[in-house]
Amino acid sequence: SYKASDPDIFPLVDGKRDLTTYDHQLCFMNPKTWELVAKEVVVRLKSMPKNTTWYGLGLGDNWRLCECPLCTKEIDCGSGRVVRPTDKNFRSTQFAIYVNEVSKRVTAACPWVGPTETGAYIFTAQAPGVPVPGGVGYYCPYVKNHKKPVYDDSVNEAWHRRAEDVFAAGLTFRGLYEYYLCNTTPHFYHAIAEVAQKDLLYYLKHGVKEYHLDTSTDDGYWQPGKPRMGMESFNASAVEYWVMTRLLWHPERSVKELRREFCRRAYHEAAPIMAEFYEKMSENYNGDSAGCFWNDNPVIATKH
């Protein structure tokens, strides 16, 4: 209904308000946006039990950001600090201001709810130029090279620097959102656990306590006439799914021993030869210089 009554809260893209895209951004620097989003959040919070103390503000899964005068002028962060449109953290600062303004209004109406967090995905992955009382949500290094840990600056310098900038600003990520076993990659045997373990220990050292793996939406069970989505990836990388679930609880455990435990439980008498197979595949995968990313083509990756 806001498309008709308040089109100016939607992003100005290519000279007109984007009222057709399904997955919208908003006009984040428009005070009316802050008021209306806060109003919607308050309506929902007041309909819930008082032990509901947290809410989140999402963003569209795209770069269709508002180009109106409010959203394209430099940001005065106070104490002489200015973030300009050409700065890498311009849009993340803008989004943080939007989150802070909405949060302030929501807490005034619902004092039992604390401040909410800003994002760390796409254009919000940079450390914002303003403080965020609610902190930072899930950090998503969405095009990181999975062949190397995030702190390997030979290939992942941008994602390492972004994480360190957040920590340097006195913030931390509530959680990590990773694509190690995303649907698009593990249709071939994706031996990700060794590198993922290094990442998990790095983030844990910095106080990150939650992890979400963007992964297959199907557990491998298939019925005739139903989509096969996810089945092939589970079959190809079942051992890696299993190892990763253990690492999420105990990231210091031996990956080699976890894979061997999986083989003992899944393959019984064939465990030794299957363990050897996975170890050789892991050695080939991790020893190869080709990168691996969330949107790899599984057929090309297998051929390689």
Side-chain angles (χ1 to χ4, degrees), residues 24-26 28 55-61 95 98-99 117 123:
H24 287 289
Q25 307 298 352
L26 294 175
F28 293 123
Y55 64 97
L57 297 173
L59 53 105
D61 193 6
F95 188 78
Y98 156 75
V99 166
E117 60 198 20
F123 59 89

Side-chain angles (χ1 to χ4, degrees), residues 159-287:
W159 297 106
H160 184 202
R161 186 176 65 250
R162 290 173 186 181
E164 291 290 341
D165 285 348
V166 170
F167 302 140
L171 299 167
T172 190
F173 305 115
R174 179 163 60 88
L176 173 68
Y177 190 114
E178 258 291 6
Y179 292 89
Y180 301 123
L181 294 168
C182 184
N183 243 358
T184 52
T185 46
H187 290 253
F188 69 104
Y189 178 50
H190 192 195
I192 193 60
E194 286 89 352
V195 170
Q197 180 178 53
K198 294 175 182 177
D199 281 347
L200 295 178
L201 291 171
Y202 164 78
Y203 289 110
L204 188 63
K205 180 181 71 175
H206 286 286
V208 179
K209 296 288 173 58
E210 296 181 19
Y211 300 91
H212 176 82
L213 303 183
D214 192 309
T215 184
S216 171
T217 55
D218 188 282
D219 65 0
Y221 177 66
W222 178 69
Q223 292 176 306
K226 297 286 182 68
R228 283 182 174 268
M229 182 174 180
M231 181 179 177
E232 296 86 351
S233 62
F234 183 85
N235 288 346
S237 295
V239 59
E240 226 60 14
Y241 284 96
W242 193 87
V243 171
M244 281 299 297
T245 60
R246 270 67 190 166
L247 289 179
L248 290 178
W249 288 103
H250 301 286
E252 73 289 342
R253 290 188 64 180
S254 164
V255 170
K256 181 175 181 177
E257 284 306 309
L258 285 171
R259 284 204 188 102
R260 287 184 169 241
E261 182 181 347
F262 174 89
C263 290
R264 285 193 295 272
R265 297 174 68 170
Y267 299 114
H268 303 282
E269 303 85 25
I273 195 169
M274 290 305 297
E276 184 181 353
F277 167 76
Y278 285 124
E279 286 165 9
K280 177 55 70 176
M281 292 289 282
S282 172
E283 180 185 333
N284 290 344
Y285 173 84
N286 287 300

Side-chain angles (χ1 to χ4, degrees), residues 62-87:
N62 59 71
W63 290 85
R64 291 178 64 80
L65 296 161
C66 187
E67 299 163 357
C68 79
L70 286 173
C71 291
T72 51
K73 71 176 184 180
E74 64 182 29
I75 301 169
D76 183 355
C77 300
S79 303
R81 293 178 296 115
V82 173
V83 177
R84 296 175 175 81
T86 53
D87 292 337

Side-chain angles (χ1 to χ4, degrees), residues 85-101:
T86 53
D87 292 337
K88 291 181 178 179
N89 67 341
F90 176 70
R91 292 294 188 170
S92 62
T93 301
Q94 197 174 85
F95 188 78
I97 290 171
Y98 156 75
V99 166
N100 287 344
E101 291 292 341

